[in-house]
Amino acid sequence: PMKINTEVIGAVCSFEDLTSVKKLAYTITDKSNSITFDDIIGSSDLMLSFKNLAKKVSRGTSNILIIGETGTGKELLARAIHQESPRRNMPFITINCGAIPETLIESELFGYEPGAFTGANKIGKPGKFALADGGTIFLDEVETLPLYLQPKLLRVIENREIERIGS
């Protein structure tokens, strides 16, 4: 409301697309985005060469596959690449594919349209890919995705297009 003293003289409303508001919320609340290559410990020639290669990769727009044992710092590396990239001010979304039940993973990744299934939100829901649009999505334990989802994920990777459930 707009007031002069105690008298209401009008009102102002601001409308934003829900997806952009959610992206902003992720960006504001995810303070761990500020991880840089300086946070990756190691000073051997091999590690310095590896960091330089990762910095070069960060300037591009290619998808990156990071492979390594559990606890080796794959997410740390992904965050450093994101922070070094032109996408640094956009969301960095992490999703642990192995921690989400198979029945929910598709709607979590791709979102859904209103009324797509019984119990669906009446306004639909953007998926993690939509929330990461313009930024970075880190799919941890991606190898645990069900086989039926792999072609859909490949389409996202190749064409950079998502298809929400029910669309």
Side-chain angles (χ1 to χ4, degrees):
M2 295 173 37
K3 294 181 179 181
I4 295 181
N5 297 325
T6 58
E7 181 185 352
V8 177
I9 60 165
V12 175
C13 289
S14 175
F15 297 94
E16 285 287 330
D17 176 52
L18 183 61
T19 303
S20 64
V21 171
K22 286 185 178 183
K23 281 186 204 176
L24 179 61
Y26 268 105
T27 303
I28 292 169
T29 59
D30 191 8
K31 299 298 181 204
S32 56
N33 272 356
S34 60
I35 291 173
T36 68
F37 286 107
D38 293 335
D39 296 314
I40 298 175
I41 299 170
S43 57
S44 69
D45 289 342
L46 186 61
M47 183 56 85
L48 295 175
S49 174
F50 175 72
K51 286 182 185 181
N52 285 333
L53 177 61
K55 285 179 184 180
K56 286 179 187 174
V57 167
S58 72
R59 293 189 290 262
T61 59
S62 297
N63 298 301
I64 302 169
L65 175 63
I66 302 171
I67 306 171
E69 298 292 322
T70 299
T72 56
K74 296 180 295 289
E75 184 175 348
L76 182 71
L77 177 62
R79 287 183 181 277
I81 290 170
H82 173 80
Q83 191 61 31
E84 187 81 14
S85 78
R87 300 172 303 282
R88 75 180 59 79
N89 295 319
M90 299 302 285
F92 181 96
I93 307 292
T94 299
I95 186 162
N96 185 332
C97 299
I100 299 173
E102 188 175 320
T103 55
L104 298 176
I105 190 74
E106 186 173 8
S107 65
E108 283 296 311
L109 289 176
F110 306 114
Y112 57 84
E113 295 294 330
F117 50 86
T118 304
N121 187 319
K122 292 179 183 176
I123 60 169
K125 179 184 172 192
K128 300 294 186 189
F129 279 102
L131 293 173
D133 187 29
T136 301
I137 187 164
F138 177 70
L139 300 174
D140 198 12
E141 297 185 35
V142 70
E143 70 278 5
T144 64
L145 282 178
L147 287 176
Y148 77 90
L149 269 186
Q150 293 180 17
K152 196 167 185 176
L153 178 60
L154 180 61
R155 180 179 177 89
V156 171
I157 291 169
E158 287 181 334
N159 300 337
R160 300 182 187 267
E161 296 174 359
I162 60 168
E163 194 171 307
R164 293 169 101 183
I165 296 173
S167 66

